[in-house]
Amino acid sequence: MLNIAVIGATGAVGRECLALLDGGTLPVKRVTPVASARSAGRDLRAELGLARDAGPVVTLDGLDTDGLDVAVLSAGAEIGRREGRRLAAAGALVVDNSSAFRMEPDVPLVVPQVNPDALAARPPGGIVANPNCSAIQLVRALHPLHTAAGLESVVLTTYQAASGGGLRGLGELARDSRRALDDPTAAPEPGGPPGRFGQPLAFDLVPGIGLPDGSGFTHEERKLAREPRKILGLPDLRLTATAVRVPVFHCHSEAVHVRLREPVTTALVEDALAAAPGIRLYRDGYPTPRTVFATPRDRALVHVGRVRVEPDDPHAVWLWVVADNLRVGAALNALQIVETAVEAGWLR
Ligand SMILES: NC(=O)c1ccc[n+]([C@@H]2O[C@H](COP(=O)([O-])OP(=O)(O)OC[C@H]3O[C@@H](n4cnc5c(N)ncnc54)[C@H](OP(=O)(O)O)[C@@H]3O)[C@@H](O)[C@H]2O)c1
């Protein structure tokens, strides 16, 4: 039975972790919610309507690491970098949701449906990285295509929800939407903070997530190019992305153009996707963020629709991929990493 700390328990991802642990299949002895000093003492069982008693929120300084089996870190890269190695040295398996360790050579970057072998043995540093939320749903859709016909290159555009900006992002979209409806001519608050998305998101699109580097690509786009190569074990895969923030509360969407080594038909691609675990394929119609967010079952799946092989090029396929970034793209993947470690037999 596992003793688990959820760090960042009051945040958008941490709350989903607590909800999934509440009704999940992991053998759990104790769950300790951890957040900043601002939240110390909060009763998340009452706030979130949990069945399991999690006890009051504690700070990292107040967390008892004696006998701690797992620490799921969802508190940003700075805290990941500061606390990840310390918690791992204390004996816990650390699953970090931030970008802090993803590209470190001794840290496996894992999507259990794609590269579970990376967890065959306990990683030497005791840390496993959870990939970027958009990368997780992307590789879940790409993996069956790679197995069927070999990936050559991928070009995608993401349509990322406000929840990707955490609770602050969700709050900003709600507030800015109300403000824009009340007064469509209102300018952004003069002198106000730039906000979670760099500008108000309501009724607009923001074609830039994260800061651009010298090449013009943003951090998010860089992560989307790098991380799938590591997860899929394809270091030379050609992959490039444009990341767009959209005024949708939950669930990221992606338009993905894939070139395959072997020629394919739409039926072959659809059959490969339909047979993959945790994918819901739409042979007719298509998933949207709202329909996917509507039920807990759909929030746990990757949804793929609009599969189109180009009529003039049987090596080229378009996909439309939607998934809940807080669950599939973060909390659920993190807990499935823990589940995979338990199944592999090395997590005490
Ligand atoms: N949102 C997504 O879709 C998504 C997807 C994949 C990965 N991630 C990653 O997951 C992490 C959390 O994201 P989020 O969206 O959940 O953010 P969030 O809603 O802003 O939550 C941040 C959490 O971190 C906690 N925290 C802040 N400072 C802390 C400290 N000094 N000690 C302990 N806890 C502290 C906060 O606690 P307080 O409430 O006390 O401030 C809160 O619980 C980030 O690294 C993010 O990149 C997010």
Side-chain angles (χ1 to χ4, degrees), residues 8-13 35-36 38-39 60 74-76 79 97-98 133 163-164 166-167 325-326 329-330:
T10 51
V13 173
S36 77
R38 292 179 291 275
S39 307
L60 275 159
S74 310
I79 291 169
N97 266 304
S98 80
C133 42
S163 61
L167 290 184
N325 47 296
L326 294 179

Side-chain angles (χ1 to χ4, degrees), residues 6 9-10 18 30-35 39-48 50-58:
V6 175
T10 51
L18 291 179
R30 183 149 52 98
V31 175
T32 306
V34 184
S39 307
R42 274 173 62 180
D43 177 1
L44 294 181
R45 182 189 189 188
E47 285 181 36
L48 305 177
L50 304 173
R52 176 192 300 278
D53 187 7
V57 171
V58 299

Side-chain angles (χ1 to χ4, degrees), residues 7-15 34-40 42 57-60 73-79 82-83 96-99 102 130-134 136 161-169 196 223 245 252 324-327 329-331:
I7 297 153
T10 51
V13 173
R15 287 153 53 133
V34 184
S36 77
R38 292 179 291 275
S39 307
R42 274 173 62 180
V57 171
V58 299
T59 63
L60 275 159
L73 266 165
S74 310
E78 199 186 315
I79 291 169
R82 204 179 69 208
E83 301 292 335
D96 182 44
N97 266 304
S98 80
S99 58
R102 289 178 188 154
N130 211 49
N132 170 278
C133 42
S134 298
I136 292 176
S163 61
L167 290 184
R168 189 174 146 216
R196 190 69 185 80
K223 288 185 246 176
R245 189 73 70 186
H252 291 351
D324 183 351
N325 47 296
L326 294 179
R327 291 222 164 163

Side-chain angles (χ1 to χ4, degrees), residues 172-190 200 202-203:
E172 278 185 18
L173 178 58
R175 190 199 60 215
D176 291 344
S177 300
R178 274 189 217 102
R179 195 162 171 265
L181 284 170
D182 287 346
D183 180 2
T185 61
E189 287 169 42
F203 306 102

